Amino acid sequence: MQTSGNNMRNVTSDQWAGVAPGEIEDPRIWSEIIRQHTTLHPEFSFLPRKFKIAITASEHDRAAIKVHDIGLRLHKNADGETGFEVLVGGGLGRTPFIAKTIKPFVSGRDILSYIEAILRVYNQYGRRDNIYKARIKILVHELGIEKFAKEVDEEWKAMGDVGLTLDHAAIEEVRSRFSYPAYEKLPHMPDELKQAANDPLFERWRKNSVFPHKVQGYSIVVLSLKPVGGPPGDATAEQMDAVADLADKYSFGEIRVGHEQNLALPHVAKRDLPALFKALDRLGLATPNVNLVTDIIACPGLDYCSLANARSIPIAQELTRRFANHDTADLIGRLHINISGCINACGHHHVGHIGILGVEKNGEEFYQITIGGRADENAQLGTLIGPAVPYAEVADVIEDIVEAYLALRDRPEELFVDTVKRLGVEPIRERVYATR
């Protein structure tokens, strides 16, 4: 929305919104309410810099709210009222920050006025003299979260009743626009699924790519766009035509896109999973690597982007070949690799479990590597593991990092990020750079 302007851009939620078990409520309703209010808002059409909001309603944050200008977490207070924890000042790029909580609870009826108060403070104090210091994350960092929160609270009180309080009817009017499929009453374990369990290829895909749905008898299916040796996140026109047909047949015509650069079919009956798997396998879209080491996020890099300093796609392709063995990937477990070809961080390398940043040194491509980052409810920035390495050595270093993790984890279930958190960077750095 409003691309290229210094104004409100996207208001996003996660790709499982409305169907994920355990959600407080459907966050898309609130995303739409905020989008309607902020798009083409005359007071905020010339902010110091672009502005993005993300909303989650689940315990596990798939919307990456802590790396947005404003992050909103739906929850209920002690009185059972639905509202938002409000976080401010997240962002990546050349100066990354994790958002901080500015208000533990703002009721749903007051969320528009509170967001306006934040935007007014940002509009007044945000830097317009330096594009590199113009984002709200810099203002929050320079003022401090306590001072920024005080300014917002004072502005919020001074606004008084400006007609932004949301009544029940207004919320329900937007809610009525979000229709849900005509779900059937289906068994939890249909015969089709029991029979397909004898197929090891189907079972590997099911355990990796199929996730719980809030309605019994249905599943959320993630389609991996990360084939071995292929550009991550790519799909051909023919594949997308076919996926659209499969969505019509198996997911009530709905396809969703996540920031992990994969697709999701949010309403698949469990009885249809075997047939869907066969169709996806024929299309090359049944790679069982969702959330594993080859499910890599990468920007276009130097191959396609004039801002980039180094290539991203060939690094990702080589890593998928190095870790192509599915048994090895399962042994490693959940591990996210994110690659950016420049400091603008379009590949979100700062919050990758392993982050790879391309830099230029004397006309050659080098790569800085960080470990321990994450973008979920426990979001944190990765830590630089050592000196930048040349293009030809990147895949070797990543292999060494993974081998160090496998040797250092205290049990098979301990995830890479948990091992890094427990031990710190140094034990892994020692193993990786010992022979370099």
Side-chain angles (χ1 to χ4, degrees), residues 4 9 27 60-61 68 79 91 93 105 110 121 156 182 194 207 218 222 224 230 249 262 265 301 335-336 358 378:
S4 299
R9 299 282 184 88
H60 176 56
D61 176 18
H68 280 74
D79 298 324
F105 187 86
D110 294 324
V121 171
W156 195 33
K194 293 176 184 176
K207 290 177 180 178
Y218 288 85
V222 176
S224 171
K249 188 173 183 179
N262 290 322
L265 300 181
L335 202 168
H336 300 169
N378 299 309

Side-chain angles (χ1 to χ4, degrees), residues 21-77:
E23 277 185 332
I24 298 297
E25 60 178 82
D26 191 339
R28 296 176 300 169
I29 287 106
W30 296 99
S31 299
E32 175 63 8
I33 288 170
I34 295 168
R35 184 204 66 78
Q36 286 186 21
H37 181 67
T38 56
T39 301
L40 301 177
H41 194 303
E43 187 176 350
F44 307 123
S45 60
F46 182 53
L47 294 167
R49 195 71 178 91
K50 60 185 178 181
F51 206 91
K52 301 174 185 178
I53 296 175
I55 305 173
T56 186
S58 296
E59 191 171 321
H60 176 56
D61 176 18
R62 288 174 295 271
I65 67 169
K66 291 189 176 182
V67 290
H68 280 74
D69 299 293
I70 293 178
L72 300 174
R73 183 180 70 87
L74 269 163
H75 66 110
K76 292 184 181 294
N77 64 11

Side-chain angles (χ1 to χ4, degrees), residues 355-381:
I356 303 172
L357 168 63
V359 295
E360 184 268 333
K361 285 188 175 184
N362 300 319
E364 296 185 23
E365 295 168 275
F366 276 73
Y367 295 82
Q368 295 177 352
I369 298 171
T370 56
I371 62 173
R374 58 196 303 171
D376 58 12
E377 62 277 6
N378 299 309
Q380 62 183 41
L381 304 174

Side-chain angles (χ1 to χ4, degrees), residues 67 90-97 135 137 340 342-346 348-350 357 381:
V67 290
L92 301 178
R94 67 178 58 240
T95 312
F97 286 104
R135 297 295 290 268
K137 62 186 179 181
S340 296
C342 79
I343 198 64
N344 288 306
C346 295
H348 300 178
H349 65 276
H350 296 105
L357 168 63
L381 304 174

Side-chain angles (χ1 to χ4, degrees), residues 235-270:
T236 66
E238 291 75 19
Q239 284 176 321
M240 287 306 300
D241 276 341
V243 170
D245 291 339
L246 292 175
D248 284 338
K249 188 173 183 179
Y250 296 120
S251 188
F252 296 92
E254 191 168 350
I255 308 168
R256 299 183 183 179
V257 181
H259 68 82
E260 297 91 348
Q261 299 175 331
N262 290 322
L263 303 177
L265 300 181
H267 318 286
V268 179
K270 289 183 178 181

